[in-house]
Amino acid sequence: MSFFRAAGCAVLLTAGLIGSAQTTVIRVAPPPPVRVGVVGVAPGPGYVWIAGYQSWNGHGYVWVAGRWVRPPRVGVVWVQPRYVHTGSTWVFHKGYWR
């Protein structure tokens, strides 16, 4: 029984490490507004626009420009990165394909 308990704990710890890599906690200030600009025309069929966002680099926010990309596989949808205000902190959730 202890083997199964240890294996279960290992899985939970690994999932926690993977999940934590997707978020960043910022205790300084809220992110600036998202920049608005012209998206333009896709460079070819099958491309998806990934909008830009503000990224925390440890000292301040920097703008990461949007770009056209091809999805990694058919049927996936891009989930935009976002900031969530929780108490006195801001938590950044990275964008991902779902």
Side-chain angles (χ1 to χ4, degrees), residues 1-91:
M1 184 70 167
S2 63
F3 169 77
F4 292 111
R5 185 174 295 155
C9 288
V11 168
L12 289 175
L13 287 173
T14 303
L17 291 174
I18 292 170
S20 67
Q22 301 299 313
T23 61
T24 302
V25 176
I26 301 158
R27 300 186 196 286
V28 179
V34 174
R35 296 181 185 180
V36 178
V38 177
V39 173
V41 179
Y47 280 81
V48 174
W49 177 252
I50 304 294
Y53 62 94
Q54 299 285 354
S55 177
W56 180 257
N57 68 5
H59 303 287
Y61 289 97
V62 293
W63 179 249
V64 177
R67 64 198 185 283
W68 288 101
V69 297
R70 289 192 118 158
R73 58 194 173 279
V74 176
V76 294
V77 176
W78 176 251
V79 177
Q80 186 70 14
R82 67 197 183 285
Y83 287 90
V84 177
H85 190 219
T86 306
S88 63
T89 62
W90 288 87
V91 179

